[in-house]
Amino acid sequence: VLDFNDPFSTEVKPRILLMGLRRSGKSSIQKVVFHKMSPNETLFLESTNKICREDVSNSSFVNFQIWDFPGQIDFFDPTFDYEMIFRGTGALIFVIDSQDDYMEALARLHLTVTRAYKVNPDINFEIFIHKVDGLSDDHKIETQRDIHQRANDDLADAGLEKIHLSFYLTSIYDHSIFEAFSKVVQKLIPQLPTLENLLNIFISNSGIEKAFLFDVVSKIYIATDSTPVDMQTYELCCDMIDVVIDISCIYGLKDDGTGTPYDKESMAIIKLNNTTVLYLKEVTKFLALVCFVREESFERKGLIDYNFHCFRKAIQEVFEVRMKVVRSRKHQSLMQKNKRPTPNGTPRMPL
């Protein structure tokens, strides 16, 4: 079991802390994004009363730990070692209920961010302005502007202008929570520039409008090309993945129910009524490439498939390099543990 004190665990599996006041929606976010729970079912979730840890290991890129902190716990209490908590953290997500009075939440946010930054200046601070499905478009923008202004003013008053906060409008009732989590996870992937560069090369040589590299299980996109992301485009890609998995579960399994609904043969083409084609191809058993292609460009499908073959081969090489690094770090971590003396002072026997 990897714990707070294990340096290897935070190098290989970055830690994401999920914090916020009680009933702000932290557990609902986790259940919807990583457990495919229906948003309506989250209404019956009980309030979290203890720290919950979950390992997310869907692929070699989507590989991290989520720690869900109950809103009522004061982890700055002397009984908690908050320095140990923040020391190995990659991202801190603070959830604010946009439909509630958020002054108390902003005070708690300021306290959390300032103390975390002193312990670990490399933490990414991500603010989810949550439950915005109940607000009008104008009210959403106004709420985001107000929270953004107040949070940054509090940091400026404390002389901490260099701390950067990222803000997202989120709801579990649409795809905004998946997109926000995608942005958070991407910051924790050291290979992101390489993946983006590969996607840019792929689309420029294939006549493709837009491409996403998706984690199929969570529908988090771990990389996309350098063109701007349109929310509607992202939603279509998520819906396509759902359609492919659902149909594969019905028609793709063997008669005895064995097999997997998503494998190396998985591929789908959906033609939209605006002369655009959605094209999905399997990259690894957990990753899919979803592309937006104009019909006239899709006529050169052979070229796209050849370029995709080169792209997939390059992704596998990136995987291999990462796995070599992981194995090397794991070996170093075990060697360091073996060098430590046992409590009675005798050296440890090598494993």
Side-chain angles (χ1 to χ4, degrees):
V1 176
L2 303 176
D3 57 25
F4 275 130
N5 288 313
D6 190 346
F8 171 73
S9 73
T10 55
E11 282 183 19
V12 177
K13 285 191 173 186
R15 188 185 304 145
I16 297 176
L17 305 185
L18 206 53
M19 295 182 169
L21 299 184
R22 282 185 81 251
R23 312 304 298 174
S24 58
K26 303 183 295 298
S27 299
S28 299
I29 290 171
Q30 190 175 350
K31 294 293 185 185
V32 168
V33 175
F34 298 107
H35 295 271
K36 293 193 176 293
M37 182 179 280
S38 164
N40 291 322
E41 289 179 49
T42 62
L43 297 171
F44 306 104
L45 285 176
E46 293 184 7
S47 184
T48 306
N49 55 15
K50 63 179 180 179
I51 299 173
C52 300
R53 189 194 87 166
E54 180 177 1
D55 285 347
V56 178
S57 305
N58 296 338
S59 71
S60 293
F61 294 120
V62 182
N63 208 3
F64 52 87
Q65 301 171 351
I66 292 183
W67 295 77
D68 184 0
F69 283 79
Q72 68 271 23
I73 286 185
D74 181 11
F75 48 88
F76 296 125
D77 186 275
T79 56
F80 279 87
D81 188 351
Y82 71 87
E83 289 192 9
M84 188 170 64
I85 294 172
F86 291 132
R87 199 173 294 127
T89 296
L92 191 158
I93 298 174
F94 197 92
V95 183
I96 297 177
D97 185 347
S98 65
Q99 298 185 32
D100 200 3
D101 180 14
Y102 44 76
M103 291 306 155
E104 185 185 352
L106 284 170
R108 184 66 173 266
L109 168 67
H110 180 73
L111 178 67
T112 305
V113 167
T114 50
R115 294 208 181 176
Y117 183 79
K118 286 176 184 174
V119 176
N120 181 2
D122 296 324
I123 292 180
N124 295 316
F125 296 106
E126 319 286 353
I127 317 304
F128 285 8
I129 303 170
H130 197 48
K131 303 182 184 179
V132 295
D133 48 276
L135 307 180
S136 65
D137 289 343
D138 290 342
H139 197 180
K140 284 180 192 176
I141 296 168
E142 185 182 329
T143 301
Q144 183 177 17
R145 188 186 298 121
D146 188 41
I147 291 175
H148 184 282
Q149 186 71 43
R150 290 175 185 274
N152 284 311
D153 285 350
D154 288 344
L155 290 175
D157 292 342
L160 295 168
E161 298 96 332
K162 56 189 172 185
I163 298 179
H164 175 71
L165 306 178
S166 299
F167 295 87
Y168 309 87
L169 293 171
T170 60
S171 169
I172 58 173
Y173 290 95
D174 58 30
H175 292 86
S176 59
I177 191 63
F178 293 97
E179 189 185 20
F181 241 105
S182 298
K183 299 281 180 64
V184 172
V185 170
Q186 284 167 26
K187 294 178 185 177
L188 303 178
I189 299 174
Q191 299 86 359
L192 183 64
T194 304
L195 298 177
E196 289 180 345
N197 189 39
L198 287 172
L199 285 166
N200 283 331
I201 294 169
F202 172 67
I203 68 166
S204 63
N205 287 294
S206 307
I208 290 171
E209 301 278 314
K210 185 73 183 165
F212 293 90
L213 191 60
F214 268 94
D215 174 69
V216 175
V217 178
S218 64
K219 289 187 291 190
I220 286 174
Y221 71 94
I222 63 170
T224 184
D225 58 86
S226 55
T227 59
V229 176
D230 175 52
M231 190 64 179
Q232 192 175 13
T233 302
Y234 172 69
E235 289 177 4
L236 282 169
C237 293
C238 288
D239 291 343
M240 184 183 195
I241 291 172
D242 285 337
V243 168
V244 170
I245 298 298
D246 289 346
I247 292 178
S248 296
C249 285
I250 299 170
Y251 299 106
L253 300 179
K254 296 177 183 176
D255 293 337
D256 57 359
T258 59
T260 57
Y262 184 78
D263 55 31
K264 62 183 180 181
E265 300 297 325
S266 294
M267 185 269 289
I269 301 168
I270 297 177
K271 293 187 177 181
L272 306 179
N273 57 8
N274 62 349
T275 70
T276 304
V277 177
L278 279 173
Y279 190 32
L280 180 146
K281 293 274 283 182
E282 185 261 6
V283 178
T284 71
K285 63 180 179 178
F286 294 113
L287 296 179
L289 184 73
V290 185
C291 308
F292 268 70
V293 197
R294 293 287 173 197
E295 275 189 7
E296 57 269 22
S297 300
F298 195 68
E299 290 174 1
R300 300 191 300 274
K301 182 174 174 293
L303 173 65
I304 294 173
D305 287 344
Y306 174 78
N307 288 338
F308 170 77
H309 174 74
C310 298
F311 172 80
R312 180 157 59 179
K313 191 176 177 183
I315 290 286
Q316 288 169 349
E317 289 174 5
V318 175
F319 267 152
E320 288 168 7
V321 170
R322 175 173 169 78
M323 293 314 296
K324 284 179 183 175
V325 171
V326 169
R327 283 193 291 268
S328 173
R329 287 179 178 173
K330 194 169 185 178
H331 179 70
Q332 289 174 1
S333 181
L334 287 171
M335 292 291 287
Q336 288 172 359
K337 283 183 180 179
N338 290 336
K339 286 178 182 177
R340 294 180 204 149
T342 57
N344 63 6
T346 58
R348 294 179 187 270
M349 292 295 290
L351 294 175

